[in-house]
Amino acid sequence: MSNKLNQFANKLIRRLLTVLGFSSTFAFMACYAPAMSGDIIDVEPDTIRFEGDDVEEVRVEVNSRDKWEIVSIPSYVNVSTTSGKGNDVVTLSALPNDSQMERSDIVVFQVDLDSLGTFRDTLVVIQKPTSRS
């Protein structure tokens, strides 16, 4: 029964898109836009760790075909640059974590392409507490 319902829903969606003037290419692009994001901007590695006591600098690679910017940075994270164009390296460091708990946040990298929209990639930042906390 649910298979027939899925087939009906798919036919209905295709017909609605046709009636609304959307081409099948547009529908395909809309369905797979998240997969394309890695082609527009990609940050490697996708997770970094700060171990706590030592002041560390971690380098991440930003791979992009266009202008990019960092649109969200945790308050305890410092970055060497907040924007660039094309491929680049960003150095991150963190203020000491004086709490008793590990903390984690994300840094958001973004590319705005007027014709295709906004594409983002995230970098997870994990920091252990300092040993003196």
Side-chain angles (χ1 to χ4, degrees):
M1 178 82 163
S2 71
N3 191 24
K4 287 186 179 187
L5 185 59
N6 283 339
Q7 289 174 349
F8 174 76
N10 285 334
K11 284 182 184 178
L12 180 62
I13 290 170
R14 281 196 305 269
R15 286 185 182 162
L16 282 173
L17 288 173
T18 302
V19 168
L20 294 173
F22 293 106
S23 69
S24 59
T25 302
F26 176 80
F28 175 81
M29 294 288 288
C31 292
Y32 291 97
M36 291 175 42
S37 183
D39 293 337
I40 306 295
I41 185 162
D42 184 44
V43 179
E44 290 294 331
D46 58 2
T47 302
I48 60 172
R49 292 182 170 277
F50 293 105
E51 295 302 322
D53 288 334
D54 297 328
V55 175
E56 300 174 67
E57 289 188 344
V58 178
R59 295 166 48 104
V60 297
E61 292 182 19
V62 180
N63 300 300
S64 175
R65 297 188 213 171
D66 215 306
K67 293 179 185 176
W68 56 267
E69 65 179 324
I70 300 175
V71 295
S72 179
I73 308 168
S75 60
Y76 62 91
V77 174
N78 297 311
V79 295
S80 59
T81 186
T82 58
S83 62
K85 184 173 182 177
N87 299 337
D88 207 346
V89 173
V90 177
T91 303
L92 294 93
S93 60
L95 300 174
N97 180 1
D98 294 328
S99 74
Q100 295 180 353
M101 297 182 64
E102 182 176 276
R103 59 185 172 188
S104 63
D105 277 294
I106 60 171
V107 177
V108 179
F109 293 76
Q110 178 173 297
V111 171
D112 285 317
L113 298 177
D114 294 333
S115 60
L116 294 175
T118 300
F119 296 86
R120 293 181 173 172
D121 197 10
T122 57
L123 171 67
V124 177
V125 176
I126 301 170
Q127 185 184 31
K128 291 184 178 180
T130 59
S131 61
R132 33 184 203 279
S133 41

